[in-house]
Amino acid sequence: MDWTDIIIEIKSEHIEIAAAIAQMVINRGIYIEDYSDFDIEIQKFGPVEIIDSELLSKDRTVAKLHIYFSPEENPMEGLAFLKERFEQENIPYVLDSTTIKESDWANNWKKYFKPCPIGEKLLIVPSWETKNVPIELSENRKSLIIDPGMAFGSGQHETTRLCMELIEKYTVPGAKVLDVGTGSGILAISALLLGAGCAMGIDIDALSVKVATENAALNGVKENFIPKHGDLAKDVEETFDLITANIVADIVIALTPDAVKLLNPTGTYIMSGIIEERKDDVLSVLDNLGFEIIDCKIDKGWCALAARHK
């Protein structure tokens, strides 16, 4: 199947608003090229010599937003919506589109996905980069080998990284974990590598569940990973010590009443994928359900929260 790649070129300063508009059109199949803070990020990776030269030459002032549409999703209608909203927001843009094969979409981004340290204990390693990990990055860290495939969750985005940092902080040995909307399984696998006893990864997308199971096997934790294709409200009845949900604010708000019923009295509920402007909306729901915030991390306009029963 051929996909339409709509490419929006804008100034980097507008990327957060542009991404939010894009998510109104489609809630998956979005890829952001933004190198505005790449010079700062390089310091986390080590010597410049280990950074791909193509990345080093990228324009720091311009960002590109790629939105992928399948034929049945009416790409032209989506394109018209994007133009209208960008003009309403006074965001200068250049629009382009191209047709690509599904296999190309699945693989083109891989050249930009390099080993990346997260928190103090984990190192995300793409499955195709396991033999190219610099020693200075892997020292004193557990490698989390990941192949997102067509599922969400490579660990590159702030929402996933912030969530993983909170998982590192609040995972206790032997904990029973539930990862809602597991995607690639990266959060469930993180918890298992950090000492959790078992982790269930649930997703309404069967492909994500398959990918998550494969990634659990890559990391040697398959026997402790429980894949589940289904709906949180209907298909999960047991309780957990740690629940994670890295989705978007509206879905976090919608699923929270069901999630909190599955959380043990002393358990921790970690949420991410929340734009900073929606933080108060999520906090209000948590307060009404009898929760208190024990941790909050914010980076580049994205917010991750950790909460417990009061």
Side-chain angles (χ1 to χ4, degrees), residues 10 19 25-26 34 43 47 57 66 75 85 98 150 159 182 192 194 219 230 236 265 276 278 300:
I10 56 175
V25 179
I26 193 165
D34 179 18
Q43 299 174 20
S57 65
H66 295 258
R85 288 306 301 265
T98 185
M150 301 289 281
T159 60
T182 196
L192 290 170
L194 292 166
N219 287 277
V236 182
E276 195 170 357
R278 298 298 309 280
K300 299 176 187 173

Side-chain angles (χ1 to χ4, degrees), residues 55-104:
L55 286 176
L56 290 172
S57 65
K58 292 290 184 180
D59 187 340
R60 309 295 197 260
T61 67
V62 173
K64 290 183 179 180
L65 185 65
H66 295 258
I67 309 173
Y68 297 93
F69 288 89
S70 62
E72 65 270 17
E73 289 170 324
N74 197 341
M76 297 313 296
E77 183 177 295
L79 185 58
F81 175 86
L82 290 169
K83 287 181 177 179
E84 181 180 349
R85 288 306 301 265
F86 276 31
E87 288 165 7
Q88 288 177 351
E89 296 290 338
N90 295 315
I91 299 176
Y93 64 90
V94 176
L95 276 176
D96 194 10
S97 66
T98 185
T99 301
I100 58 174
K101 295 186 180 297
E102 187 166 1
S103 58
D104 293 334

Side-chain angles (χ1 to χ4, degrees), residues 10 26 29 33 45 53 72-73 86 98-99 129 135 189 192 199 213 242 245 250 261 263 272 294 298:
I10 56 175
I26 193 165
E33 290 185 67
F45 284 82
S53 59
E72 65 270 17
E73 289 170 324
F86 276 31
T98 185
T99 301
E129 290 279 342
I135 294 176
I189 295 167
L192 290 170
T213 304
L242 179 69
D250 285 335
K261 295 175 186 176
L263 187 67
S272 192
I294 59 172
I298 295 175

Side-chain angles (χ1 to χ4, degrees), residues 170 240-243 263-269 291 294 307-309:
Y170 294 105
F240 300 84
D241 304 306
L242 179 69
I243 297 178
L263 187 67
N264 288 330
T266 59
T268 304
Y269 179 31
F291 274 76
I294 59 172
R308 286 183 181 153
H309 293 284

Side-chain angles (χ1 to χ4, degrees), residues 262-295:
L262 305 175
L263 187 67
N264 288 330
T266 59
T268 304
Y269 179 31
I270 294 174
M271 299 141 281
S272 192
I274 304 162
I275 59 173
E276 195 170 357
E277 291 80 1
R278 298 298 309 280
K279 181 181 72 170
D280 288 344
D281 297 334
V282 177
L283 293 178
S284 177
V285 170
L286 290 168
D287 184 61
N288 290 337
L289 290 169
F291 274 76
E292 63 178 345
I293 301 301
I294 59 172
D295 215 328

